[in-house]
Amino acid sequence: MRLADAISLRSRRRKLALFLELIRPDPSTTVLDVGVDEVSLGESGGESGCTTHNFLEERYPWPERLTALGLHDGTRFRARYPRIEYVQGDACALPFADATFDVVYSNAVIEHVGGHERQQAFVREALRVGRRVFLTTPNRWFPIEVHTRLPLVHWLPQPLATRVYELAGKPWAGENHLLGPSDLRRLFPGEVEIRNLGMTLVATT
């Protein structure tokens, strides 16, 4: 296993443990996972080559209580997780009624949806369809940019950072919109608790 994948796997285990500790779901708890991938744990894919996607679906104790939302058509996802309902849709315009779920869970998705207005819509929709929210995102103030493993690049002015990502063969990273603790807090209109885990931020309501 690559070092980057080992670090990512450790991080996902830590976040799942924190989710179970803070939210305390039980067999009756309905959970929406916003932003699942077409490729799953152990499968490489996507621009970053990450092999730790869909970790919640692999390890959650009650998969039949999960609903997963992604951008792809879900063919591969449904084949791998037949007990989990899959819905294709936009995380910033969720196709569910108000308070459909007990919890909305999202791991490292909000930095990929676009700029500030899209991120606000992402949070607004999560709060609308879920009674509670558990949301994680990489910490902008961690010195390593976690998607590329490049140091300090994400602290440069955007045009310069974009150029460095292009030279490193990772132009897609210039489209990410990373958040610091105060940025993440401001996206929530009401009470939210932000936990700074160093590499990762966790927001819970």
Side-chain angles (χ1 to χ4, degrees), residues 118-165:
R118 287 274 295 174
Q119 290 179 329
Q120 280 189 317
F122 184 100
V123 170
R124 183 170 61 247
E125 284 292 274
L127 293 170
R128 180 181 66 79
V129 307
R131 297 176 182 87
R132 297 192 67 185
V133 170
F134 181 95
L135 183 156
T136 85
T137 189
N139 183 3
R140 172 174 171 74
W141 299 115
F142 190 71
I144 305 297
E145 199 289 307
V146 301
H147 301 91
T148 62
R149 307 299 174 185
L150 296 173
L152 308 179
V153 177
H154 54 303
W155 292 356
L156 297 172
Q158 188 60 42
L160 183 55
T162 298
R163 180 61 178 150
V164 173
Y165 290 135

Side-chain angles (χ1 to χ4, degrees), residues 40-54:
S40 296
L41 189 68
E43 301 174 345
S44 62
E47 292 158 327
S48 66
C50 178
T51 63
T52 60
H53 295 295
N54 301 340

Side-chain angles (χ1 to χ4, degrees), residues 9 12 16 31 33 35-44 50-70 72-87 105:
L9 189 60
R12 289 180 190 252
L16 178 56
V31 179
D33 184 4
V36 300
D37 208 281
E38 185 177 22
V39 297
S40 296
L41 189 68
E43 301 174 345
S44 62
C50 178
T51 63
T52 60
H53 295 295
N54 301 340
F55 188 80
L56 181 69
E57 285 66 28
E58 294 282 342
R59 302 293 173 85
Y60 190 66
W62 306 287
E64 65 281 356
R65 305 302 287 168
L66 292 177
T67 298
L69 181 130
H72 49 91
D73 66 12
T75 301
R76 290 175 64 179
F77 185 95
R78 291 187 179 98
R80 179 149 178 162
Y81 308 109
R83 297 166 66 190
I84 299 173
E85 181 180 359
Y86 176 82
V87 177
Y105 173 100

Side-chain angles (χ1 to χ4, degrees), residues 90-117:
D90 182 356
C92 299
L94 294 172
F96 306 105
D98 295 358
T100 298
F101 301 95
D102 295 316
V103 187
V104 172
Y105 173 100
S106 183
N107 178 53
V109 175
I110 193 170
E111 70 272 17
H112 299 291
V113 301
H116 182 70
E117 289 187 3

